[in-house]
Amino acid sequence: MAGILKHLGDESVTVSGAALRRLLERGDGDASLLYLALLRHQGLTQPRSLAGELRWERTRIEAAELVLRQLELVSLPAAELPEPADERPDYRQEDVTGALEDDGVFRGLAAEVERKLGKKLSTPDMGTLLGLYDYLGLPSDVIYLLVCHCAERIRLRYGEGRRPTLRQIEKEGYAWARMGLDTQSAAAEYLKKYARRQEALPAFMRVLQLGDRTPVGAEEKYLAAWQEWGFLPETVALAYEKTVLKCHELKWPYINGILKRWHEAGLHTPEQVAAGDRPRTQAQQPRRDQRPPEEEMFRYVQALHRGKE
């Protein structure tokens, strides 16, 4: 009797009999699809990163993963799964061609990226883009937001006419995957927050006496962290003064240490710093000859007895 399955000649995955029985007994279609997707990636990618491949929202991914944990088909919670590998699969010419021919969504994404970057993507570039889409599992709309974000960042830093490379976009894409930015809403919220941080950068640069220039990458990391901690430029100005008094120049690790200490103490405004970081006055200093109250009371009682004698 002839088989009814059509063999597509594509890569295959193997499901063990025990796993298949558990999935069939549970009867959860989403859990079964997620398990197959994880097998396709050899279990090396986080379930949340498969949202694009499965076209699911985060809540759906998480619910399916919970079922797989209950069935003991995945061994680690999502937060403990290994991060995506630094090296994506090596996509060959035939992989790129097949994706462009068979996947209309990827074909449309590639066309939009070429339009945004103003150039024809080479085969290696297409392989990099395919890695974001196929390996990391980022949805096409999220990838396009990623490309636009990288393009704007390069333009602001280096001027009109400069464009990011696909490798630069890929690096940022891995960062987005690790942050869980795998839906349009999550990416849009991140970009709003990023824009607010960027708008505040000139004020921070001015209080650090660095003029109106754009901060370099390492400087921007410090400034972003200070904003995340909740500091205003005015508070950073106080830390800058302390740094210059001590070091006679701006030293980023030193000023970062001051701000980290203030952050851990809950001191974020100039008023809070003034109240909580000043040296104790003489009245607040403990007296060396001050005795505990119990000892003073004992001496007082002894004196009373001596008086009666």
Side-chain angles (χ1 to χ4, degrees):
M1 179 178 178
I4 63 172
L5 292 177
K6 290 185 177 181
H7 297 282
L8 303 179
D10 201 352
E11 77 276 9
S12 60
V13 296
T14 302
V15 184
S16 69
L20 183 59
R21 281 193 298 273
R22 294 182 191 183
L23 291 169
L24 289 174
E25 288 172 1
R26 184 61 177 258
D28 190 303
D30 280 357
S32 299
L33 284 174
L34 178 57
Y35 188 69
L36 290 174
L38 289 169
L39 284 176
R40 181 170 179 262
H41 291 276
Q42 293 83 45
L44 298 177
T45 188
Q46 299 187 32
R48 68 184 184 191
S49 295
L50 298 175
E53 184 174 315
L54 294 170
R55 306 295 187 264
W56 289 356
E57 293 293 329
R58 171 70 66 81
T59 53
R60 189 174 176 185
I61 284 275
E62 291 174 346
E65 186 197 2
L66 177 60
V67 172
L68 292 181
R69 291 208 303 271
Q70 292 170 347
L71 295 175
E72 297 184 349
L73 293 177
V74 294
S75 59
L76 297 174
E80 298 177 14
L81 285 174
E83 299 288 357
D86 290 335
E87 291 296 328
R88 59 173 171 76
D90 185 17
Y91 291 100
R92 297 166 296 180
Q93 172 72 56
E94 52 265 36
D95 298 320
V96 172
T97 301
L100 290 172
E101 290 178 352
D102 301 334
D103 192 328
V105 175
F106 179 72
R107 184 168 59 249
L109 171 65
E112 288 301 320
V113 171
E114 288 183 333
R115 221 176 341 261
K116 181 65 181 178
L117 299 182
K119 69 172 186 177
K120 188 75 173 175
L121 296 182
S122 65
T123 298
D125 286 343
M126 282 290 189
T128 300
L129 186 63
L130 183 57
L132 295 172
Y133 178 79
D134 177 69
Y135 177 64
L136 284 188
L138 294 177
S140 60
D141 54 354
V142 172
I143 294 175
Y144 187 69
L145 287 175
L146 169 70
V147 172
C148 293
H149 168 64
C150 292
E152 180 65 10
R153 193 168 62 179
I154 292 297
R155 184 189 70 81
L156 291 174
R157 179 162 294 176
Y158 300 108
E160 295 291 342
R162 296 291 297 273
R163 298 287 188 273
T165 66
L166 263 293
R167 285 298 187 184
Q168 290 173 318
I169 294 171
E170 180 186 46
K171 182 178 179 181
E172 184 70 10
Y174 271 81
W176 281 31
R178 292 185 179 100
M179 290 186 289
L181 305 179
D182 49 16
T183 65
Q184 188 178 41
S185 59
E189 183 61 31
Y190 168 78
L191 292 176
K192 287 180 184 177
K193 191 175 181 180
Y194 178 84
R196 289 195 295 269
R197 288 204 310 262
Q198 293 300 112
E199 290 173 359
L201 288 183
F204 283 92
M205 294 293 282
R206 284 193 293 271
V207 300
L208 295 172
Q209 307 301 313
L210 296 175
D212 296 325
R213 69 173 176 83
T214 302
V216 299
E219 293 171 337
E220 189 172 339
K221 288 181 180 179
Y222 279 116
L223 298 176
W226 300 344
Q227 291 184 65
E228 286 291 329
W229 289 345
F231 285 112
L232 301 172
E234 295 80 5
T235 315
V236 173
L238 295 178
Y240 171 77
E241 291 177 4
K242 286 179 173 287
T243 301
V244 173
L245 285 173
K246 177 69 176 180
C247 306
H248 310 294
E249 62 178 340
L250 171 60
K251 287 188 178 293
W252 289 91
Y254 190 88
I255 188 174
N256 186 66
I258 294 174
L259 291 169
K260 184 178 181 181
R261 176 166 56 82
W262 288 352
H263 173 61
E264 291 172 349
L267 311 175
H268 296 95
T269 67
E271 295 76 18
Q272 290 171 338
V273 170
D277 197 49
R278 64 163 64 99
R280 287 190 293 187
T281 64
Q282 187 173 0
Q284 294 171 315
Q285 297 289 344
R287 286 171 48 192
R288 292 183 180 179
D289 61 344
Q290 188 174 14
R291 299 182 178 90
E294 296 83 3
E295 185 176 342
E296 292 295 326
M297 179 61 72
F298 178 73
R299 289 177 177 275
Y300 175 70
V301 173
Q302 281 185 324
L304 284 178
H305 281 291
R306 283 196 297 269
K308 290 180 179 179
E309 294 172 355

